[in-house]
Amino acid sequence: MRASLTLAAHPLAGEPLAASVEPPSQVLVVAAGILALLITVIGWPLLTHVIAIAHEGGHATAASVSGGRVVAVRLERSGNGRTDFAAGKGQSTLAFIGSAGYIGPSVFGVLGSFLLVKGQVEAILWASLVLVGILLLNVANPFGWFSSLLTGIVLFLVARYAPDAPQTLFAVTWVWFLLFGGYGDVLGLRKVRRALRAAKKRDEETDAGILGKQTWVPAPIWVALFWLGAVAGLLLGAGIMLGMVV
């Protein structure tokens, strides 16, 4: 199916993982938002793989918290992915796990925005690294392993070695990217479904198509719900970072 926590100790003994600092200024937040939007639009063919990691991470997290077990995660060169899981039967469980993919990037972005306004810049990076690492343990194909590892290396280098100013800019841009990417992920789903309709093929592989077959909610409604979730996440995350939402 396609397609935050704070640790107690820093790698350096005796230092807190993410000492609270002043939250990013609104000027920085706006500038990082513009930068993230440009990066998302221009670099989407490549960076869709990063959003795929967050997407499948959403499925995996939902499966775990609902008492299930992640069997394998696959991330493909096309930007698609699949999470196989073993979970209890029931439409509610299936709906929770199946819908967590397209909502996942937006939820992670909103959680990151909460940490940003608390000044927990490093916490965002280390928490993201931990989540990518957990997903990596469940990845079952070489490309998925490579893309997850590369993402983790970038997060580690920035969290561990970047000076304060570049690190803050990266963290704010990262949060914006998750929010924009969550919306872009849903737009990609709509594009795939339009292509299938044009080819007069049934949607049997996307999250919406699978959920439409296995629950009482039709696939178009799932697409609409994913879209609303992505828009709500983007607005909420932006509002939090800009001080419009307390």
Side-chain angles (χ1 to χ4, degrees):
M1 303 174 75
R2 155 65 153 158
S4 298
L5 53 92
T6 302
L7 301 183
H10 191 278
L12 297 179
E15 295 186 15
L17 169 65
S20 181
V21 297
E22 288 295 320
S25 67
Q26 290 195 358
V27 173
L28 177 59
V29 170
V30 172
I34 296 173
L35 176 61
L37 180 59
L38 291 174
I39 290 173
T40 304
V41 173
I42 297 173
W44 185 253
L46 177 63
L47 296 177
T48 184
H49 299 297
V50 179
I51 294 301
I53 292 172
H55 179 117
E56 301 308 327
H59 285 310
T61 300
S64 298
V65 301
S66 63
R69 179 176 59 86
V70 178
V71 177
V73 175
R74 296 182 181 276
L75 302 166
E76 307 296 342
R77 292 179 182 272
S78 63
N80 294 328
R82 180 181 181 88
T83 298
D84 298 322
F85 57 88
K89 296 181 179 180
Q91 287 195 354
S92 59
T93 300
L94 177 64
F96 175 62
I97 299 174
S99 63
Y102 280 103
I103 297 175
S106 300
V107 171
F108 294 142
V110 170
L111 293 175
S113 69
F114 276 113
L115 290 175
L116 275 180
V117 298
K118 298 297 183 181
Q120 298 289 341
V121 172
E122 283 191 27
I124 294 171
L125 302 174
W126 287 110
S128 298
L129 177 60
V130 169
L131 292 174
V132 171
I134 293 173
L135 185 71
L136 180 60
L137 296 176
N138 295 286
V139 171
N141 66 313
F143 180 81
W145 191 86
F146 170 77
S147 60
S148 299
L149 181 62
L150 182 60
T151 301
I153 289 174
V154 172
L155 289 168
F156 173 77
L157 291 176
V158 175
R160 182 65 179 84
Y161 296 108
D164 290 346
Q167 185 182 82
T168 300
L169 176 60
F170 181 93
V172 181
T173 305
W174 172 249
V175 171
W176 274 114
F177 173 68
L178 289 172
L179 295 170
F180 286 131
Y183 183 76
D185 202 21
V186 178
L187 293 184
L189 169 65
R190 295 175 65 182
K191 182 178 179 179
V192 169
R193 285 180 53 80
R194 284 197 298 269
L196 289 172
R197 285 198 301 271
K200 297 182 179 180
K201 295 181 179 179
R202 297 185 61 180
D203 179 5
E204 298 181 346
E205 294 187 1
T206 71
D207 291 357
I210 293 172
L211 288 169
K213 288 172 55 181
Q214 299 187 8
T215 70
W216 56 270
V217 180
I221 301 299
W222 283 112
V223 176
L225 291 174
F226 296 156
W227 185 85
L228 288 173
V231 172
L234 178 56
L235 294 177
L236 178 58
I240 292 170
M241 288 188 287
L242 293 172
M244 299 177 183
V245 177
V246 180

